[in-house]
Amino acid sequence: MSEPAIGIDRPHRSAQSPPPPERQPEPGARTRGPWLVAAATSATLLLLAGRYGYHRDELYFLLAGRHLDWGYVDQGPLVPALARLLDTIAPGNLVVLRTPSALLAGGAVLLVAAIARELGAGRGAQLVAAVLAALSGIVLASGHLLSTTTVDLLVWLLAAWCAVRLLRTGDSRWAVGIGLALGVGMLSKLLPALLAVGLIVGVLIAGPRRLLRDRWVLAAAGATVLLAAPNLIWQASHGFPQLGVAASISGGDSSYSGRLDAFTLQFVIISPYAVPIWIAGLVALLRRPAWRAYRAVGWAWLVVVGIVLVAGGKGYYDAPLLLVLTAAGAVVTVAWASRGSLWWRRGLLALGVVPFLLPNVVLLLPVLPADRLPGFVVDVNYDAGETIGWPAFADSLAAVHNGLPPEERSRAVILTANYGEAGAVARYGPDRALPRAYSGHNSMVDFGRPPADADVVIAVGWERPDQLSTWFEQCILAGRVDQRVEVDNDENGGPIHVCRGLRRPWAQIWDTEVRHTG
């Protein structure tokens, strides 16, 4: 008798692993369609990567990369280290900086289709799942920028794919894949721990509970902790500052935060078109008899989104799991469209693509001219406004700096209200002979404070003069930021003050008063 061919998907179960559920659909046939969609997604993102400019967070990552550490107030070391590497390879090259995000977005598309395949999707349903993912708001927005969100997206989807394979095959060794993905993800942010909570509670509710004492699952938990340890140790030694940032987000001091915004975002973060599809996927995961093994995944989303809404987190935190529900919904939807009167069901699906999916491209990617960007684009996509006008922002500061008397100009420093403004000065300031910028925002406060004799300060972004008057004897409005385009972002039109005469030394006010998180 011949030996089994290598590569055939044969489940391996440890003595503690649960048996695979009965009458479970086999994975669908492999197809090239999702690969083509993923390649088109990455190629489109790369073609548009150089339009507009740096995002505020990207400028911060570049600056954090100059101060490498095992952790930061608001993130782990992964993205700043990556930003430093890419900027070392190609200094000032925005396309190179964003290339990993474009590739990760393509990987996310493949994973969504792969999850649909695990659930029994045929070639058509896999293609639908890939297209829905490629045109989703979370993939396009995070794939355009270098961000911690892009890392989170791939990490969550990879962990979810491993979870679905584990539940389908009963091979608990797939738990190690979950653990490795979550551990690497926690070097970017601690959010993957939220997915771990969702999956554990999902298994507790829907089973199989024996997984929670399986040796491979316990090994996976150890791998997660081991990989995340450098960031966790840094956070612990600094009093877990990410909890302070989370509290600020919960209070609404950030974009896409607040319970109402978080709830609303659930219905647009993939696209309005996909809402009935992912709802159908959720219902099927929770109720379809043949998918009984996967109920923990459906419950995981309910747990995660419940925590996000109760805690006041950002509404896109659970978006990767929404893509998992969309993958399940694609299987259900294609099956529905293949029954009965095909022409009107398939026509209904096709008609929704143009009005509901393609607008995501216009709203979330820099396809329109920056100098004629409609206001509604920034209203919908806050991040678009934060990628416009940074060189002109530096020009506005240079105009104020050049207007100072020579003896003051030589000892002046810049104090910014947020990390993006400080990052912009670091990026564009040297070409304009600007002094160094300092900020108390998040980890910027740990990158250094002004020299003790810096008693002439150009303060930008401080909307309330009384904030500055507690630190300086005199502050006068010396100008306003002019980004030379009509864009409603956090900087355009903002005040630029010149402040003189420190009331107390920097060492006394820096950590206690200037420091702020959000």
Side-chain angles (χ1 to χ4, degrees), residues 9-199:
D9 189 14
R10 294 185 181 275
H12 170 86
R13 295 190 298 273
S14 67
Q16 295 176 304
S17 301
E22 298 179 357
R23 298 186 304 277
Q24 203 166 287
E26 290 296 317
R30 297 185 186 277
T31 176
R32 289 180 295 179
W35 288 89
L36 297 175
V37 175
T41 302
S42 294
T44 300
L45 291 168
L46 286 172
L47 286 172
L48 296 173
R51 288 177 58 83
Y52 296 5
Y54 290 92
H55 185 269
R56 179 172 65 184
D57 289 355
E58 291 173 319
L59 293 167
Y60 177 42
F61 297 145
L62 289 169
L63 199 50
R66 299 180 185 180
H67 301 81
L68 290 177
D69 206 341
W70 283 111
Y72 301 88
V73 168
D74 47 0
Q75 62 187 302
L78 184 59
V79 175
L82 181 60
R84 176 167 177 169
L85 173 64
L86 296 168
D87 198 55
T88 301
I89 294 171
N93 191 310
L94 194 55
V95 175
V96 171
L97 185 71
R98 292 175 173 172
T99 293
S101 295
L103 298 178
L104 291 177
V109 171
L110 286 176
L111 282 169
V112 172
I115 291 169
R117 178 180 176 271
E118 289 296 317
L119 297 173
R123 291 181 174 88
Q126 291 176 52
L127 183 61
V128 169
V131 170
L132 288 171
L135 294 175
S136 68
I138 185 61
V139 169
L140 292 178
S142 65
H144 173 57
L145 307 171
L146 178 66
S147 70
T148 55
T149 303
T150 319
V151 176
D152 283 342
L153 177 64
L154 193 77
V155 162
W156 283 50
L157 287 173
L158 182 57
W161 176 70
C162 290
V164 170
R165 282 192 67 87
L166 187 161
L167 294 170
R168 179 180 68 79
T169 65
D171 185 353
S172 57
R173 291 179 299 178
W174 284 101
V176 176
I178 300 173
L180 293 175
L182 297 181
V184 172
M186 289 179 67
L187 290 175
S188 174
K189 275 197 171 181
L190 299 183
L191 276 178
L194 184 59
L195 174 60
V197 171
L199 289 173

Side-chain angles (χ1 to χ4, degrees), residues 9 60 70 185 187 327 336 400 418 455 466 505:
D9 189 14
Y60 177 42
W70 283 111
L187 290 175
W336 171 82
V400 172
N418 67 55
D455 60 347
D466 59 296

Side-chain angles (χ1 to χ4, degrees), residues 375-421:
F376 69 83
V377 172
V378 178
D379 291 340
V380 173
N381 179 18
Y382 161 84
D383 289 325
E386 291 301 317
T387 61
I388 295 173
W390 288 113
F393 168 85
D395 289 339
S396 299
L397 291 176
V400 172
H401 181 248
N402 292 335
L404 294 175
E407 66 276 7
E408 290 188 341
R409 197 182 310 153
S410 61
R411 68 178 193 272
V413 296
I414 296 173
L415 181 66
T416 73
N418 67 55
Y419 55 61
E421 295 162 348

Side-chain angles (χ1 to χ4, degrees), residues 166-513:
L166 187 161
L167 294 170
R168 179 180 68 79
T169 65
D171 185 353
S172 57
R173 291 179 299 178
W174 284 101
V176 176
I178 300 173
L180 293 175
L182 297 181
V184 172
M186 289 179 67
L187 290 175
S188 174
K189 275 197 171 181
L190 299 183
L191 276 178
L194 184 59
L195 174 60
V197 171
L199 289 173
I200 291 171
V201 175
V203 169
L204 281 172
I205 294 173
R209 295 185 183 91
R210 70 186 72 183
L211 276 176
L212 300 180
R213 58 180 184 272
D214 183 279
R215 69 171 184 263
W216 288 107
V217 174
L218 296 177
T224 299
V225 173
L226 184 64
L227 285 170
N231 188 23
L232 292 174
I233 293 171
W234 188 95
Q235 288 288 325
S237 64
H238 290 76
F240 280 98
Q242 279 200 27
L243 296 179
V245 176
S248 298
I249 292 172
S250 179
D253 185 24
S254 186
S255 59
Y256 311 115
S257 64
R259 292 177 178 82
L260 180 59
D261 286 346
F263 177 77
T264 303
L265 206 58
Q266 304 305 306
F267 302 97
V268 296
I269 191 64
I270 307 300
S271 77
Y273 175 86
V275 171
I277 296 175
W278 66 254
I279 289 177
L282 174 63
V283 172
L285 286 171
L286 295 178
R287 297 180 61 87
R288 179 178 277 196
W291 286 1
R292 178 182 296 274
Y294 308 124
R295 288 184 180 174
V297 177
W299 278 106
W301 176 75
L302 291 171
V303 170
V304 169
V305 75
I307 293 173
V308 169
L309 293 177
V310 170
K314 294 192 178 186
Y316 59 75
Y317 286 170
D318 65 299
L321 284 181
L322 278 178
L323 284 175
V324 175
L325 301 185
T326 301
V331 181
V332 176
T333 302
V334 169
W336 171 82
S338 300
R339 295 194 302 266
S341 302
L342 298 182
W343 68 271
W344 76 265
R345 294 190 183 203
R346 294 183 178 179
L348 181 63
L349 291 177
L351 285 175
V353 172
V354 173
F356 290 111
L357 283 177
L358 292 183
N360 277 351
V361 176
V362 176
L363 293 172
L364 301 174
L365 297 181
V367 297
L368 300 176
D371 58 351
R372 295 191 298 277
L373 191 66
F376 69 83
V377 172
V378 178
D379 291 340
V380 173
N381 179 18
Y382 161 84
D383 289 325
E386 291 301 317
T387 61
I388 295 173
W390 288 113
F393 168 85
D395 289 339
S396 299
L397 291 176
V400 172
H401 181 248
N402 292 335
L404 294 175
E407 66 276 7
E408 290 188 341
R409 197 182 310 153
S410 61
R411 68 178 193 272
V413 296
I414 296 173
L415 181 66
T416 73
N418 67 55
Y419 55 61
E421 295 162 348
V425 174
R427 170 66 181 83
Y428 298 107
D431 291 338
R432 293 162 175 80
L434 285 175
R436 178 178 170 180
Y438 299 86
S439 180
H441 189 200
N442 289 4
S443 277
M444 284 296 309
V445 74
D446 299 317
F447 297 164
R449 62 174 182 256
D453 60 349
D455 60 347
V456 178
V457 174
I458 300 172
V460 61
W462 303 90
E463 295 290 344
R464 293 166 44 203
D466 59 296
Q467 291 176 294
L468 299 170
S469 63
T470 61
W471 304 326
F472 304 101
E473 295 177 358
Q474 179 193 58
C475 285
I476 60 171
L477 182 64
R480 289 193 175 272
V481 175
D482 180 8
Q483 295 183 310
R484 297 194 287 272
V485 292
E486 292 293 330
V487 59
D488 183 17
N489 60 24
D490 288 352
E491 286 71 40
N492 208 13
I496 304 175
H497 292 89
V498 173
C499 301
R500 298 176 175 89
L502 274 172
R503 294 184 183 275
R504 285 164 292 156
W506 287 110
Q508 291 183 13
I509 65 173
W510 191 248
D511 287 325
T512 57
E513 298 180 34

